């Protein structure tokens, strides 16, 4: 399990968070718009139902947990990978990521999901810019294995390698942007990719991680060259199938520790939703500031202590 944070609960942010959780990672989300944040839970429930019908989800819940938090600092404090997916505006992204770079872990990888902005400008005011890079998932995220990577001039090779390992373990294929032209799929191309993924799934016996024959691009700058500048090394990339026992072990681990501090045991119920997700210390903190349940985003009216026997 990798600890991830997603900034922005719009259409793309929710899809990225859902895909990370579908692969077993723990995800914390936040959004500056409270209405958008509070609606993220319902939109992800709709995604789960679609994935369940398509056979991309083996049960009614993601293996990884998704939490929606009101405060940026709590969202990114322990994250190993941070995925920013807010409005594609330079000032908005720059201001947000500058703050994030000072409150997150010093080794956390910070990525921006941008279509047209210069990543060097986006990260210009960030601390430790060598761990920052552009990373763009293609829509619809659950069905498209390709992910565009766009390093800045400061991005270190170790950062690129960490991202490669994370995404390839999820069954994704990295390709490097060439010049200033992002890859944008047409509606027909999206539907074709979706059809291929579902066909591969139905031919396999996996639990949502179907065998995929992808073109895995070589890690290196993609400038110049033919074919639109996208360099692909042809090799067969077979994704590991998730075993039922491994999923159950992961779920049991996540269901025992506090979803906020990830340290103390869950020992209280939130009222009125009755979610058992937090330790009393963290629950009382959220209650005192009139915050919401991080699981379903209902207001916390009371905290009920639970005693385990």
């Amino acid at each position: 399990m990798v600890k991830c944070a997603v900034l922005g609960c719009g259409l793309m942010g929710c899809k990225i968070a859902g895909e990370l959780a579908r692969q077993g990672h723990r995800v914390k989300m936040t959004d500056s718009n409270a209405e958008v944040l509070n609606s993220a839970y319902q939109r992800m429930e709709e995604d789960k139902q679609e994935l369940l019908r398509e056979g991309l989800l083996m049960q009614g819940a993601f293996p990884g947990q998704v939490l929606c938090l009101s405060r940026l600092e709590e969202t990114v404090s322990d994250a190993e990978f941070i995925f920013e997916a807010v409005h594609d505006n330079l000032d908005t992204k720059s201001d947000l990521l500058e703050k994030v770079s000072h409150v997150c872990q010093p080794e956390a990888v910070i990525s921006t999901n941008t279509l047209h902005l210069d990543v060097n400008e986006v990260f210009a005011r960030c601390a430790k810019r060598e761990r920052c890079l552009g990373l763009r998932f293609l829509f619809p995220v659950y069905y498209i294995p390709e992910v565009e990577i766009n390093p800045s001039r400061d991005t270190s090779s170790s950062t690129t390698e960490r991202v490669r390992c994370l995404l390839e373990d999820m069954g994704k294929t990295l390709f490097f942007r060439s010049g200033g032209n992002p890859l944008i799929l047409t509606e027909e191309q999206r539907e074709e990719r979706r059809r291929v993924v579902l066909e591969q799934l139905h031919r396999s016996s996996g639990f949502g991680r179907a065998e995929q024959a992808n073109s895995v691009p070589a890690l290196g700058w993609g400038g110049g060259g033919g074919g639109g500048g996208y360099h692909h090394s042809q090799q067969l990339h077979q994704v590991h199938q998730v075993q039922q026992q491994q999923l159950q072990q992961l779920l049991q681990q996540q269901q025992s520790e506090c979803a906020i501090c990830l340290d103390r045991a869950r020992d209280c119920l939130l009222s009125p939703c009755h979610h058992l997700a937090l330790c009393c210390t963290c629950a009382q903190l959220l209650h005192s500031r009139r915050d919401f349940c991080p699981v379903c985003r209902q207001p916390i009216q009371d905290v009920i202590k639970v005693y385990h026997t």
Side-chain angles (χ1 to χ4, degrees):
M1 178 193 72
V2 175
K3 300 173 185 176
C4 302
V6 175
L7 313 180
C9 296
L11 178 62
M12 185 58 76
C14 282
K15 302 292 186 187
I16 294 172
E19 179 66 351
L20 291 166
R22 188 172 73 94
Q23 303 295 338
H25 302 307
R26 192 226 60 194
V27 185
K28 291 182 178 180
M29 302 181 69
T30 193
D31 197 289
S32 59
N33 185 315
E35 183 177 351
V36 173
L37 178 62
N38 292 340
S39 65
Y41 177 78
Q42 179 59 40
R43 282 183 279 126
M44 296 191 72
E45 284 298 311
E46 294 171 358
D47 283 350
K48 291 177 189 176
Q49 294 306 312
E50 178 183 348
L51 294 172
L52 198 59
R53 290 192 299 269
E54 298 280 19
L56 289 174
L57 194 63
M58 61 175 293
Q59 52 190 359
F62 290 132
Q65 188 172 40
V66 179
L67 304 168
C68 298
L69 304 178
S70 301
R71 299 201 174 185
L72 177 65
E73 294 81 358
E74 293 176 352
T75 305
V76 303
S77 61
D78 64 343
E80 300 167 68
F81 290 86
I82 300 169
F83 301 87
E84 171 269 304
V86 301
H87 180 61
D88 209 21
N89 175 274
L90 180 59
D91 291 337
T92 301
K93 289 180 179 287
S94 296
D95 291 345
L96 173 62
L97 293 176
E98 179 186 14
K99 183 176 182 179
V100 167
S101 71
H102 289 285
V103 297
C104 69
Q105 295 292 324
E107 68 277 7
V109 172
I110 303 174
S111 69
T112 180
N113 185 80
T114 180
L115 191 61
H116 296 296
L117 297 178
D118 184 341
V119 294
N120 295 298
E121 295 182 7
V122 171
F123 294 120
R125 304 199 308 269
C126 287
K128 296 178 65 68
R129 290 191 296 274
E130 66 274 9
R131 41 108 179 242
C132 303
L133 76 169
L135 201 64
R136 190 170 68 90
F137 290 78
L138 302 185
F139 188 85
V141 177
Y142 298 113
Y143 303 97
I144 307 296
E146 291 83 11
V147 179
E148 180 186 80
I149 184 171
N150 186 18
S152 74
R153 55 174 167 260
D154 298 309
T155 305
S156 67
S157 58
S158 61
T159 295
T160 303
E161 180 65 12
R162 287 180 63 191
V163 171
R164 182 190 68 81
C165 291
L166 172 70
L167 294 180
E168 288 193 357
D169 186 60
M170 293 170 56
K172 299 296 185 181
T173 299
L174 290 179
F175 67 92
F176 282 76
R177 179 182 295 192
S178 177
N181 298 317
L183 174 64
I184 301 176
L185 300 180
T186 65
E187 188 64 34
E188 291 76 14
Q189 289 172 324
R190 291 174 180 173
E191 183 57 33
E192 176 63 16
R193 299 297 287 128
R194 177 178 176 276
R195 183 188 64 79
V196 170
V197 168
L198 292 177
E199 285 183 355
Q200 291 171 343
L201 173 67
H202 295 154
R203 289 198 301 266
S204 73
S205 59
F207 299 111
R209 287 190 182 186
E211 296 180 4
Q212 299 172 357
N214 295 327
S215 297
V216 182
L219 286 175
W221 283 97
Y230 295 99
H231 298 281
H232 298 272
S233 61
Q234 299 296 323
Q235 69 179 46
L236 187 64
H237 183 69
Q238 184 173 6
V239 183
H240 299 295
Q241 295 183 352
V242 178
Q243 299 298 322
Q244 175 72 21
Q245 183 179 1
Q246 293 174 319
L247 283 176
Q248 291 302 322
Q249 290 175 347
L250 180 61
L251 287 171
Q252 289 173 4
Q253 176 186 355
Q254 292 181 341
Q255 290 168 359
S256 64
E257 61 188 15
C258 172
I260 299 294
C261 67
L262 299 176
D263 181 23
R264 294 176 289 269
R266 302 182 181 191
D267 59 0
C268 65
L269 290 174
L270 304 181
S271 178
C273 65
H274 290 170
H275 277 122
L276 179 65
L278 307 175
C279 68
C280 268
T281 301
C282 292
Q284 292 291 358
L285 176 63
L286 295 187
H287 183 234
S288 66
R289 67 187 193 212
R290 299 180 180 179
D291 212 328
F292 299 82
C293 170
V295 178
C296 66
R297 300 304 298 170
Q298 288 193 53
I300 300 173
Q301 297 180 4
D302 197 7
V303 176
I304 305 170
K305 177 71 175 179
V306 173
Y307 295 92
H308 300 280
T309 58

